Amino acid sequence: MQDIFKYLLKNRNIKFTSLALAIIFLFIFMSFLRFKMIGMHSVINAYPSIAPLYGLIFGPFYGSLIILLVNIVKFLINPKAYYFGIFSFLPPILSVVSAGYLARNNLKVPILIYMFGFILYFNSYVGREAPYHPIFDILAFLLLIGAGKKIIKLLYSNNSIHSFVSALSFSYIVVMVDHLYGSILASYLYHIPVNDYVKAIPTYIFERTLMAFLGSVFIFLTIKLVRELIKMSDELKSFILNEYIKENFKTKLDIKVDKELMEKYGIKVPDEEFVKKELENIFKTIK
């Protein structure tokens, strides 16, 4: 199940339909659930809650592309809503990139994104005077390093509790990337007083916890839905198996062998059909 979205998106109809729905949903979702930014006459919407899901499904490239396209259109319609100007695109894009790579078991990229963010933050005036402000971000970073691969493994678990907790952890890590870079932009572009950063700690912890929870619900329900669709659709199951074989087995099966020698010792090289049948048996274990 771990690469299920990657194989599903190899179907052109599924890919473009999903992209269209994702763009439409993001347009609608960005209009709701807004939070007041402390120290500024601006608000932040809950789009970070979508970043984990989009990174998980579409990967770092297409996920970022969706976020970028929607934000460009929104920016052209109402540029005043983007308090960091075009730099406002950076936090959500980095969040989706982190989610996309993390979902594909590549921890290096999100770790580098976090590390670069911490370097920028602690080199700012806020970082020097209030180094404890990103405590929630640091905890997310430690969770990423310590349990990143375990989180992805359990994300697709048949155990609903394990799956939801992993979805929550995954969402939390991604949501805090957005917060870290938002804090950096606020300090470098607006020079917000340090006291405002300190006052914001309880508020941002609550807001980001809520965002992470929303993101985990989206992820959990999406995985459950896809799992049920695969169980119900033999055609979809067959398509995924074929794509999996093409990517992982076909080149390995095309090997040169001495057929007479193989027949002499009764050895058979598994062909594509054999592998497919074996994988179908494995697929039946998905509950």
Side-chain angles (χ1 to χ4, degrees), residues 8 27 40 87 131 146 166 202 218 246-247 252 254 280 285:
L8 282 174
F27 262 111
M40 300 180 68
F87 292 106
S166 296
F218 292 142
K246 285 179 185 178
E247 183 170 317
K252 297 176 183 178
D254 293 335
E280 284 176 345
T285 63

Side-chain angles (χ1 to χ4, degrees), residues 1-12 14-15 18 53-60 62 100 103-105 156 226 230 239-241 243-248:
M1 279 292 290
Q2 190 165 307
D3 292 321
I4 196 69
F5 295 109
K6 180 178 73 173
Y7 295 120
L8 282 174
L9 292 179
K10 288 182 180 291
N11 181 294
R12 187 173 296 180
I14 292 177
K15 175 185 283 188
S18 300
L53 179 64
Y54 282 18
L56 177 73
I57 295 176
F58 300 107
Y62 283 108
R104 283 144 186 81
N105 259 323
Y156 301 94
V226 170
I230 292 172
F239 171 78
I240 295 171
L241 283 171
E243 291 300 322
Y244 184 82
I245 291 169
K246 285 179 185 178
E247 183 170 317
N248 295 279

Side-chain angles (χ1 to χ4, degrees), residues 106-153:
N106 185 334
L107 271 61
K108 291 181 180 179
V109 174
I111 286 174
L112 287 174
I113 289 174
Y114 261 109
M115 289 179 67
F116 185 67
F118 287 135
I119 291 171
L120 290 176
Y121 177 82
F122 289 114
N123 277 322
S124 69
Y125 71 96
V126 180
R128 290 189 293 270
E129 296 185 43
Y132 46 83
H133 173 78
I135 181 63
F136 223 45
D137 310 68
I138 294 171
L139 291 175
F141 178 61
L142 294 176
L143 180 63
L144 168 64
I145 294 175
K149 289 187 179 294
K150 186 72 172 179
I151 288 170
I152 301 306
K153 183 179 179 180

Side-chain angles (χ1 to χ4, degrees), residues 227-239:
R227 188 189 295 273
E228 291 303 315
L229 288 174
I230 292 172
K231 286 169 61 177
M232 293 171 61
S233 174
D234 291 334
E235 184 178 345
L236 187 60
K237 193 182 299 183
S238 179
F239 171 78

Side-chain angles (χ1 to χ4, degrees), residues 10-286:
K10 288 182 180 291
N11 181 294
R12 187 173 296 180
N13 290 332
I14 292 177
K15 175 185 283 188
F16 287 109
T17 302
S18 300
L19 287 171
L21 287 173
I23 291 172
I24 293 169
F25 179 74
L26 189 58
F27 262 111
I28 297 171
F29 186 77
M30 285 181 70
S31 301
F32 298 97
L33 199 58
R34 297 171 179 270
F35 299 103
K36 179 75 173 63
M37 291 188 68
I38 292 179
M40 300 180 68
H41 300 291
S42 301
V43 294
I44 180 172
N45 54 44
Y47 68 81
S49 300
I50 300 298
L53 179 64
Y54 282 18
L56 177 73
I57 295 176
F58 300 107
F61 177 74
Y62 283 108
S64 300
L65 185 61
I66 294 170
I67 297 291
L68 180 62
L69 289 175
V70 172
N71 277 284
I72 287 175
V73 174
K74 289 273 189 179
F75 179 76
L76 294 174
I77 295 172
N78 184 18
K80 292 183 179 179
Y82 288 77
Y83 35 88
F84 300 135
I86 59 173
F87 292 106
S88 297
F89 302 165
L90 185 62
I93 288 176
L94 289 177
S95 297
V96 177
V97 169
S98 298
Y101 279 105
L102 177 57
R104 283 144 186 81
N105 259 323
N106 185 334
L107 271 61
K108 291 181 180 179
V109 174
I111 286 174
L112 287 174
I113 289 174
Y114 261 109
M115 289 179 67
F116 185 67
F118 287 135
I119 291 171
L120 290 176
Y121 177 82
F122 289 114
N123 277 322
S124 69
Y125 71 96
V126 180
R128 290 189 293 270
E129 296 185 43
Y132 46 83
H133 173 78
I135 181 63
F136 223 45
D137 310 68
I138 294 171
L139 291 175
F141 178 61
L142 294 176
L143 180 63
L144 168 64
I145 294 175
K149 289 187 179 294
K150 186 72 172 179
I151 288 170
I152 301 306
K153 183 179 179 180
L154 293 177
L155 194 59
Y156 301 94
S157 171
N158 291 327
N159 186 308
S160 295
I161 295 176
H162 291 169
S163 181
F164 184 78
V165 171
S166 296
L168 182 60
S169 301
F170 178 84
S171 184
Y172 166 54
I173 290 170
V174 175
V175 163
M176 295 317 297
V177 171
D178 177 87
H179 174 263
L180 177 61
Y181 280 87
S183 299
I184 292 167
L185 289 174
S187 66
Y188 279 91
L189 297 180
Y190 286 97
H191 302 285
I192 297 174
V194 175
N195 286 338
D196 286 336
Y197 273 88
V198 176
K199 291 177 184 177
I201 293 175
T203 304
Y204 93 69
I205 289 177
F206 168 76
E207 292 171 352
R208 295 293 159 166
T209 300
L210 179 58
M211 290 180 186
F213 178 76
L214 286 174
S216 65
V217 171
F218 292 142
I219 290 172
F220 178 76
L221 294 179
T222 300
I223 291 175
K224 286 291 184 184
L225 176 62
V226 170
R227 188 189 295 273
E228 291 303 315
L229 288 174
I230 292 172
K231 286 169 61 177
M232 293 171 61
S233 174
D234 291 334
E235 184 178 345
L236 187 60
K237 193 182 299 183
S238 179
F239 171 78
I240 295 171
L241 283 171
N242 286 329
E243 291 300 322
Y244 184 82
I245 291 169
K246 285 179 185 178
E247 183 170 317
N248 295 279
F249 290 96
K250 196 163 187 178
T251 55
K252 297 176 183 178
L253 294 174
D254 293 335
I255 55 177
K256 294 180 179 180
V257 296
D258 187 328
K259 292 184 178 180
E260 292 184 2
L261 188 63
M262 299 291 282
E263 290 176 0
K264 179 179 178 180
Y265 290 98
I267 300 173
K268 292 183 179 180
V269 177
D271 57 12
E272 192 170 328
E273 282 302 314
F274 174 81
V275 174
K276 184 176 179 180
K277 287 180 180 179
E278 289 299 310
L279 288 173
E280 284 176 345
N281 291 331
I282 295 173
F283 239 97
K284 290 177 182 178
T285 63
I286 297 176

